[in-house]
Amino acid sequence: MTDIMNRMKTKIIKEFGTPCLVIDLDVVERNIQRAQKLCDKAGVANRPHIKTHKSPLLAKMQIEAGARGITCQKLGEAEVMADAGITDIIVATNLLGAARSGRLAALQQRIALKVCADNPVVLEAYSNAARESGRPLDVMIECDTGQKRAGLKHQEALALAQIINNDPMLNFGPIILSSAGYLAGDSDIS
């Protein structure tokens, strides 16, 4: 290790303690640019999942590089990202508790969210949250692609889509194909 690296290491330990995550933003930016170029070349809209970095700074870097929006795992992550000014957010899991507690409606009042559902009970809670927020909620359905990892069989998905179409507070969004890792019909990667 060079003398400069040793001094930097000592300074970081003194200022922040250990363990302490240190990243090279130049490398991060190159990786973001490379991933975005791959998406652009393939003709898909990138919606990176922020569950690994959970950083508004890195999410904004991804959007500035060309990502259409971001994907979050939990409502709390979406709230943090919205607080940072990010407005195109998918939450890729059912949010029954958040819908019933009022947190989903509160965030939906601030930004137009996209959420996922795989059962009618969640759809009812989403409809109520959308009504409380004063604007319709975009809902995507997760479908099983045969790997039995997550999602619904096609007949179940069609039944949910009908419920969404019949509810004025819900908008049908694309279908999520988990094992394929993208949103069908929207050419998005999540």
Side-chain angles (χ1 to χ4, degrees), residues 47 49-50 70-79 81 88-96 98 104 107-108 111-117 126 137-142 176 183 190:
R47 289 184 181 276
H49 209 307
I50 60 91
I70 59 167
T71 303
C72 297
Q73 190 69 12
K74 301 186 288 188
L75 189 67
E77 294 169 351
E79 290 166 332
M81 297 298 154
D88 194 335
I89 301 173
I90 292 173
V91 183
T93 53
N94 287 319
L95 299 172
L96 183 59
L104 177 60
L107 187 55
Q108 176 69 1
I111 64 169
L113 286 169
K114 296 162 195 72
V115 296
C116 296
Y126 285 173
L137 182 62
D138 294 339
V139 182
M140 299 173 290
I141 298 173
E142 185 173 13
I176 296 179
L183 306 177
S190 62

Side-chain angles (χ1 to χ4, degrees), residues 114-125:
K114 296 162 195 72
V115 296
C116 296
D118 65 6
N119 68 75
V121 174
V122 171
L123 290 180
E124 182 180 349

Side-chain angles (χ1 to χ4, degrees), residues 15-58:
E15 286 188 33
F16 302 106
T18 61
C20 176
L21 175 66
V22 179
I23 61 172
D24 185 331
L25 285 175
D26 292 332
V27 172
V28 170
E29 184 152 3
R30 279 194 306 271
N31 288 341
I32 289 171
Q33 292 293 333
R34 188 175 71 220
Q36 186 61 48
K37 283 179 185 174
L38 289 170
C39 291
D40 293 344
K41 184 178 180 181
V44 296
N46 186 15
R47 289 184 181 276
H49 209 307
I50 60 91
K51 69 182 174 183
T52 54
H53 62 69
K54 298 187 183 195
S55 165
L57 171 69
L58 296 180

